[in-house]
Every structure is written in structure tokens, then in C-alpha cells.
Amino acid sequence: MYTANDIKSIINKMSVKQKVGQLFLLAYPGKNPEIIKPLIDEYGIAGCYISQDNAETFDEAEQISSKLQAMASQTQNGIPLILGVDQEGSWGVLVPESHTGPGNLALGAIPDSARTADMYRIFADEMLSVGYNALLGPCADVNLTPDSPIIGARSFGEDPEKVARCVAYAVQGCTASGALATLKHFPGHGSTSGDTHREIPRVERTLDELFKTDLLPFIKGVEAGADIVMTSHILYPKIDPENPATLSSVILKDILRTRIGFKGIILSDSMNMGAIRKFYDPAESTLLALKAGVDIVMLSEEHYDHSADYLDKQLASLRKAEEAVKSGKLSVQEVDEKLFRILSLKLNKMKIRMPRLSAQRYSESECIQNDISDKCIQVLQRGLWPLPKTGTRICINAAPETVYRSLINARGIGPNQKKTAYEYFKETLEKSGENFIYLNHNEALAGNEDQFKRAEAILIVTEDYPLPGEDFPKAEQEKLAQKLAAKYAEKTVIVGLRSPYEIKLYPKNVTYLCAFSSRGCAAKSAAKVILQFPQM
């Protein structure tokens, strides 16, 4: 255990370059970590943002984390790296080997919020077993604007108190295993209709309103022991009319530090997202964030535009911060305060890794995931329920095949789900031996009306996925589902492998079964309920 004096002694011996390096969490493209080595060698950076682009399997992940930590150990100070990953359920890494569970919205739909701790313990165990020591989750955002294109299923729901309970349990589950837990996106992304990967959204809420809604999960997450809070690139004009949260000392220092009392690390969301890059000089915005109260600046999307000069962009931000310290624009005292928080976390709390999980532990995680997933499924409208066990039953994939093209994001950020939710759903029905007629979007659109009239039940499967910087196309599937529901409402069953917020699109006498998730485990659970198997 390092004492306060030990840590201050380390800081006093660091050069300006070494101090500045600890203020950056950087990404790199591809599977060769040697690419980032020059920055580790020169600056001794705080850590790396790791995505599916860097490693797709547990074995690959273990190899790159070992190489990265070895690089850090060979620097002058030998300070270990934070290796952060978006393992938060609806977004994930090492997919499909890792257990993502059904996602936060599904977890929030379970009456027993404590199951969230079980799922986040699995996240932490699996990530630590390959050397990823920081979860960039849970999302503490409240779905106050359900049509948000980027939060949605990443939130635990629309009730601030329920979200707060789930966030606290998520932090407990994560930290119980020794991984670092991150609350995001402060002070709340769920009230926006915009995506910060593309723009700076605005939230017209007063501070009093925020404390009653958006801030409640962050407060409970901090009380539960969260190590990191990630900022949002969102403008709250009634609190700070000029600066988005990442660049606002009012939001970060006055509210997060003073009012809420958070003493851990403040991490910026990626400074390469559209909200920052379109409106600020990249290097200058880094300095503004550090001055506003950010401890570690994250540059997690250097290949966001697939450019070859990502290393130059990173270096420009590092050098801008170094120049600012040397010139006095960024005070040494403030930098040292940030370093004290960072090194205290790294040297006294952060784990480097834990042993790889045994086959038995991995199997146990599978069982827990599936049990949780089974408990998420809900029938929200019961027009035709339970379903008839005989007669013709039609199962339709409402989404055209073309909409899945963006499901795997080239940057390795997001769901990283190659196999669609509908595929998992259909496979489970097929394995049961039960008789269903399967139609794709085009077949259903041009379908034989006699076939629909003869059917005892028409299952229409809808999906949605939170994709960074773009939307999963839903218009065509919704149009098809609305058309069939209007004609055959009394025998139509919408199977929502997604959030329930689409329910307003359909007649009240339509059956609506919701999985609150587009993950494979949730799709399988929904199929089991359709087949009327007993839930676990």
C-alpha cells in the first residue's frame, strides 16, 4: 500500500512530460499494440481504450494486455496502465466469447434489481481474466427521452430511482471482483434526442430538475464506490450556457466534485467524437477539458474517420498539454492534484489482471446470464395470450436484410454482434421441433393474404441496436409491422427484441412480448416464452 507521501514523492520526481502522459487514455487501431508503444515510451500514458478492433477473442485480449503492461513496466516510472473497455451489456467487447447478458434495459426490467450485480460481476471477472481492468460502465443515464438514438437499451430505464438502484448494484458487482467501475455519461445523456458522436445535444433542465432525475443514479453510483465518472459532451444551457459538460468547470468542479462529493477520477468521453471535433480544435479542447476539471482525457476513436494520422493527432494533444504546463496555462499544482488521484487509484486499488476463468466458472456465468435473461421477458399487451399450440403459426423477420450492414461497426465500438437477434430467436424455435412458417421481410410484404388469414398466430419480430454515430434503420420494419397489425391485430404478436418504446406504434389489441434487448440470450429467452417453456 502506497501512502500519500509515497505518491507525492513519485509525482515530485516526474518530468512534465511524464506527468502529462498520465492525463491521457489513448486508443490505437488494429491488433498490434506496438503501434502505441512510442507514446507509452515517450509520455508514459495513463492507459488505453481497447475495442473489438484490437482483440476479438479472450486469447488475443490476454496477449495484447500483457504486451501493453510490459511496455508500461519498462518506462522510467513503471506505472501500470488502465485498460478500459465498453463492456456494459448492449455494448461489448470480445463478443461472442464474452457474456454480455441481455443489457441494461433488460436488467432494469427485472423486479429484483440485485441481479444487476450478478451480471456486472461476470463482466468484471471475464475482463480482468484477460487483463482489461476498467469497465467503462455502467451507463447511469435515465431514459427520460425514450427515442434517444444512442442510449436506449444502454440505460436501465426511465424511472430515476430504479435506474439508481441498478447503477449501485452494477458498481457493487464490478468492484467486488476488483475491476474499476465507471459511471457515464455525466450529468446524464438520457434526456437527449441527439447523439454526441455526431453533434452537441442540448438539455433544457435546471439544476434542481437534474438533481431529481438525471443526477440521482450518479449520486447512488458514487455512494456505491464508483472509481471513475465519465463526462458527456452535452450542453446544459440553464447551468452553463457556453460549455458542454466535458468543458464546464461549473458541472465538473462545482456540481460533481463539490455538491456530489466525488473524489475519484473524472474521465472525458472521447474527445474525437463529433460533438467536440466539429466545434473545437482537437488539441485546444483537450486543454479546455483539463482546466475544467477532467483528470484523464480519452481519445478513443483515432480511427473514427479511418485516417492514417491518428498518432499525430494524439501527439498534438499531448504536446499542447505539455506546453500548457510549461507556460503556466495549466498550473503544476492542478496537474499534481490530478496525478495524486490517478496514482492513488492505480497503485492502491487497480488490479492488473486475475487468473483466466476455468471452464466451470465460464459455464456458471453462462447459466447465470441465461437465468437473468429468462426473467427479463414480459408480455406487455395480452391480446392473444397464451398462444395457440396448434394450427398455422407464422414467424416474420420484420427487418429487411440490408439493415444489418452496420451491425458490426468498423471501429469495434458498439454491440459487436455479428449474429442478429432474429437468427437466435428463429434457431431456438426450430430446435423445438414446433411447426412455424418462417418469412423474411420481402416475403411477408408480398405475402399471400390467404396464408395470413388461415394462420392462428402471426409473430412479427422487431429489433433495434444502439450504434455509435449512426442509427439502426427501423422505418421499414415498423411499416411492415404496422401494416400487418392493422389487418390482423387480434392474432398478431409483436416480439420486440429491443426496447418497448415502439409499442405506441401498434393497436391496443395486438399482443406485445418484449425482451428489452437485442442480445442473443434475450432472443433465445423470448423464443422459450413463445414456446411456453417454463422459465428458469
Side-chain angles (χ1 to χ4, degrees), residues 88-119:
E88 44 148 282
S90 295
W91 280 17
V93 296
L94 308 182
V95 180
E97 286 192 8
S98 66
H99 292 101
T100 63
N104 289 345
L105 192 64
L107 291 169
I110 303 175
D112 182 7
S113 300
R115 298 312 303 271
T116 300
D118 297 334
M119 200 68 244

Side-chain angles (χ1 to χ4, degrees), residues 184-427:
K184 62 185 186 187
H185 308 77
F186 189 83
H189 206 318
S191 296
T192 69
S193 56
D195 178 359
T196 47
H197 293 85
R198 292 175 271 191
E199 60 185 283
I200 299 178
R202 294 169 64 96
V203 173
E204 301 288 345
R205 288 183 185 275
T206 65
L207 185 56
D208 285 343
E209 289 171 329
L210 281 178
F211 266 101
K212 292 174 184 175
T213 54
D214 301 74
L215 290 177
L216 186 60
F218 289 95
I219 293 168
K220 295 302 181 183
V222 168
E223 290 174 354
D227 307 288
I228 303 168
V229 170
M230 182 189 292
T231 67
S232 66
H233 306 322
I234 298 172
L235 187 69
Y236 297 79
K238 292 182 179 178
I239 300 171
D240 185 335
E242 296 181 2
N243 304 296
T246 300
L247 310 181
S248 171
S249 62
V250 175
I251 290 174
L252 301 185
K253 292 181 180 177
D254 297 352
I255 298 174
L256 181 55
R257 288 287 187 213
T258 304
R259 291 283 299 272
I260 295 177
F262 179 62
K263 300 185 186 307
I265 304 300
I266 298 178
L267 172 71
S268 80
D269 205 345
S270 175
M271 300 298 285
N272 288 309
M273 292 163 65
I276 299 296
R277 293 207 316 172
K278 288 180 182 178
F279 303 99
Y280 298 89
D281 172 76
E284 184 64 30
S285 66
T286 295
L287 181 57
L288 292 174
L290 291 170
K291 290 174 72 68
V294 166
D295 294 315
I296 299 179
V297 169
M298 182 166 69
L299 299 171
S300 70
E301 297 171 335
E302 275 59 47
H303 45 309
Y304 186 91
D305 55 3
H306 307 287
S307 62
D309 61 345
Y310 78 94
L311 191 63
D312 293 335
K313 292 177 182 176
Q314 290 177 327
L315 280 168
S317 292
L318 283 158
R319 286 173 179 155
K320 185 80 172 181
E322 185 181 356
E323 290 166 10
V325 175
K326 289 179 177 177
S327 68
K329 276 189 178 180
L330 194 61
S331 75
V332 173
Q333 179 184 347
E334 191 166 4
V335 170
D336 286 356
E337 288 173 359
K338 297 177 191 293
L339 286 171
F340 186 84
R341 286 189 288 269
I342 294 165
L343 297 188
S344 295
L345 180 70
K346 284 187 167 192
L347 300 177
N348 287 336
K349 187 173 182 182
M350 185 179 78
K351 280 189 176 181
I352 303 301
R353 68 166 3 99
M354 60 183 279
R356 282 290 290 271
L357 299 181
S358 66
Q360 181 180 347
R361 283 287 301 283
Y362 187 83
S363 178
E364 288 171 357
S365 296
E366 180 91 12
C367 291
I368 293 169
Q369 170 188 261
N370 294 342
D371 178 53
I372 289 172
S373 184
D374 286 344
K375 288 177 169 56
C376 298
I377 312 302
Q378 294 182 19
V379 182
L380 301 181
Q381 288 182 184
R382 307 182 74 89
L384 179 68
W385 197 262
L387 299 184
K389 294 287 287 182
T390 59
T392 302
R393 291 168 294 173
I394 298 173
C395 178
I396 299 168
N397 183 6
E401 189 176 343
T402 53
V403 303
Y404 296 119
R405 290 172 182 165
S406 297
L407 209 53
I408 298 297
N409 191 286
R411 288 169 280 143
I413 303 167
N416 291 309
Q417 184 171 317
K418 292 181 181 179
K419 195 170 175 179
T420 70
Y422 176 78
E423 288 179 89
Y424 285 106
F425 180 80
K426 181 184 175 184
E427 285 177 4

Side-chain angles (χ1 to χ4, degrees), residues 8-26:
K8 288 175 182 177
S9 177
I10 293 170
I11 293 170
N12 290 336
K13 293 174 184 176
M14 295 171 75
S15 66
V16 171
K17 191 181 287 285
Q18 291 166 342
K19 288 182 176 182
V20 164
Q22 287 296 318
L23 307 181
F24 286 84
L25 189 81
L26 304 178

